[in-house]
Amino acid sequence: MAADGGATEIVVIGGGTAGVRLAQRIAASPSAATGATRVTLLGEETHAPYNRVLLADVLAGRYGPEVIGLPRVTGTERRGVRAVRIDRAERVVRCDDGSVVPYGRLVLATGSNPVLPPLRGLWGPDHHGLPEGVHAFRTMDDCLALSAAVRPGTRAVVVGGGLLGVSAARALAERGAQVVLAQQGEYLMERQLDRAGSLLLRRRLESWGVEVHTECRVRGLVLTETDSGAGRVAAVELADGFRLDAELTVLACGVRPRTGLARAAGLDVRRGIVVDDELRTSDPRVHAIGDCAEHRGRLYGLAGAALEQADALARLLTEDTAPEGPATRYTGTRSLTRLTLSPLGGHTPEAPLPLDLAAFGETTPLPGDDVVQLTDATRGAYRKVVVRGDRLVGGVLLGDLTTIGALARTWEDDEPLPPTTPLLHLLTPDGGS
């Protein structure tokens, strides 16, 4: 829908990493400067937009909430407003405060919700809210509530040993809690690490006081009665009947794309909101980016992909009014995961070094793949790459990331490896470059 002067109104639903990046790029574009496009960002949270990746650092007390804030959007930014319905026929978004926002192009950057497992005792008969002491860990409100609840000596159980669960466990331990990390799978961070890398990660966590249980399934929560009637967590019960005492329980069991708005609007939704190479949904005037978007059958769930999608869509939307040059399509992201776990007490001469971790591509080899790995038990370092034919297809590095820059470039470029280069050279400081 064009406003006066023929400006295209672009409405972005979602104030997270993807939505904010897109709004910033559009607002800074030549088409916005000439008045050809205008952008409105609708954010459900009342907090100023922030970098969700750094929430664990806020929980650990290393940063204040204001430090992880994202740059402000130049344009219309509305906080604490929830979009409740998309009217595609009228091209408007209806919000919970009664306002109606017209759009010419609509972008869904609705992100994802934490997965809350079907645990016995998790929900009361009225299904309103979690029991006292039980927390998800996805938003700034979740982070602040956890931060207010934790004390030195607090018994905390983190359910889920993925990237988020490991980060939360480490942050709680840094605050002085007695932390148990319960993982249903065989090893920690199964999506990113191989078995050897995960074992090194586990040993480092245990050296910092985090008790790790793998291959254990959580069956339910044991609650005590409270005046409010909601119940308060007292223990986490495992499938074998063993109980882990808990004053705090953190559910870090993954995320699920937020697709309710899109589904209700009649858009094509599978696991996520289906988009093409122009990040268009089944309605060409509606786009989707970030955690909620499913592109070529893939959900990324990583900040790097969200940023690349936002940048690509900003170019596509602003080039609609710029005839010179073809629009840029999005063909996918080669995602690299990085994590730094700092030791208790921060960086001091007496403290152990932080654990740096990086993983990319396919870390589990297929039959016929070449694998090169180096282990330094003294320094707690581990490096491994997987080569398929003449291509680098994946790798894991823990403790020593000196080669990650060159390795990542080689992998992202997807160029044949020089036939005369020994594979071991990939793990040397120059990474084979």
Side-chain angles (χ1 to χ4, degrees):
M1 181 176 294
D4 24 305
T8 298
E9 296 285 355
I10 301 174
V11 176
V12 183
I13 301 177
T17 300
V20 170
R21 176 66 159 249
L22 174 65
Q24 290 169 342
R25 289 287 190 263
I26 293 173
S29 69
S31 66
T34 61
T37 59
R38 294 198 300 218
V39 62
T40 297
L41 180 70
L42 304 177
E44 188 172 325
E45 295 187 59
T46 56
H47 302 284
Y50 55 89
N51 185 345
R52 203 179 303 275
V53 173
L54 297 177
L55 281 177
D57 292 298
V58 174
L59 177 59
R62 285 192 289 273
Y63 299 147
E66 68 286 348
V67 174
I68 70 169
L70 297 173
R72 291 187 61 86
V73 174
T74 303
T76 302
E77 180 185 336
R78 297 177 60 190
R79 302 177 194 164
V81 177
R82 183 167 63 90
V84 295
R85 188 161 71 89
I86 300 167
D87 189 330
R88 291 165 52 201
E90 296 291 330
R91 294 188 201 161
V92 296
V93 177
R94 303 187 186 277
C95 302
D96 61 349
D97 61 358
S99 61
V100 178
V101 184
Y103 68 84
R105 293 292 186 108
L106 177 64
V107 182
L108 302 177
T110 49
S112 54
N113 283 327
V115 172
L116 300 179
L119 302 180
R120 187 171 60 198
L122 184 60
W123 301 107
D126 56 2
H127 217 268
H128 290 316
L130 299 174
E132 292 183 29
V134 179
H135 301 261
F137 188 47
R138 181 64 180 164
T139 68
M140 179 64 77
D141 284 337
D142 295 335
C143 180
L144 296 178
L146 262 175
S147 185
V150 67
R151 299 285 186 276
T154 297
R155 294 187 300 276
V157 175
V158 178
V159 180
L163 179 62
L164 189 61
V166 167
S167 300
R170 185 68 198 91
L172 290 169
E174 192 158 347
R175 294 288 299 275
Q178 300 175 31
V179 183
V180 176
L181 178 59
Q183 161 72 337
Q184 181 170 322
E186 291 186 53
Y187 49 91
L188 301 177
M189 291 184 62
E190 289 178 308
R191 288 186 60 186
Q192 292 87 15
L193 300 182
D194 63 358
R195 191 181 301 274
S198 177
L199 181 59
L200 192 152
L201 171 63
R202 175 174 181 162
R203 287 173 178 167
R204 184 65 67 91
L205 286 171
E206 289 175 337
S207 74
W208 291 336
V210 177
E211 183 180 331
V212 179
H213 294 266
T214 56
E215 296 186 89
C216 72
R217 186 170 62 85
V218 175
R219 180 166 62 188
L221 304 177
V222 180
L223 306 179
T224 58
E225 291 187 10
T226 61
D227 294 338
S228 66
R232 178 172 185 83
V233 67
V236 171
E237 184 179 18
L238 304 182
D240 61 5
F242 188 76
R243 292 184 174 184
L244 302 170
D245 291 340
E247 298 166 272
L248 285 178
T249 299
V250 181
L251 303 177
C253 305
V255 295
R256 182 178 294 116
R258 294 184 65 180
T259 60
L261 266 178
R263 195 181 298 274
L267 300 175
D268 186 9
V269 176
R270 296 172 195 164
R271 291 184 302 155
I273 306 168
V274 177
V275 296
D276 63 13
D277 288 359
E278 293 187 2
L279 297 162
R280 295 178 302 187
T281 68
S282 50
D283 181 337
R285 291 188 175 273
V286 182
H287 303 257
I289 58 173
D291 287 5
C292 67
E294 178 180 337
H295 176 259
R296 297 187 183 181
R298 183 169 181 182
L299 294 167
Y300 287 95
L302 295 170
L307 295 173
E308 286 191 16
Q309 290 173 2
D311 290 348
L313 184 55
R315 290 190 295 268
L316 284 160
L317 293 178
T318 55
E319 285 173 358
D320 282 344
T321 58
E324 67 280 359
T328 303
R329 292 172 176 264
Y330 175 75
T331 57
T333 296
R334 296 174 74 83
S335 302
L336 183 146
T337 299
R338 292 195 65 161
L339 176 67
T340 296
L341 297 175
S342 298
L344 289 170
H347 301 273
T348 66
E350 298 79 19
L353 293 173
L355 177 64
D356 290 316
L357 176 156
F360 58 92
E362 300 179 47
T363 59
T364 300
L366 298 177
D369 289 349
D370 291 310
V371 178
V372 185
Q373 59 187 46
L374 296 175
T375 303
D376 185 338
T378 303
R379 298 174 59 194
Y382 172 72
R383 285 173 282 172
K384 166 187 166 181
V385 291
V386 179
V387 177
R388 184 169 302 150
D390 60 358
R391 298 294 202 280
L392 176 66
V393 297
V396 179
L397 292 87
L398 284 90
D400 182 357
L401 303 191
T402 53
T403 62
I404 188 59
L407 284 173
R409 286 191 299 272
T410 301
W411 172 65
E412 289 168 356
D413 292 343
D414 195 28
E415 295 291 335
L417 296 171
T420 57
T421 300
L423 293 182
L424 187 62
H425 191 47
L426 291 170
L427 295 180
T428 60
D430 62 7
S433 60

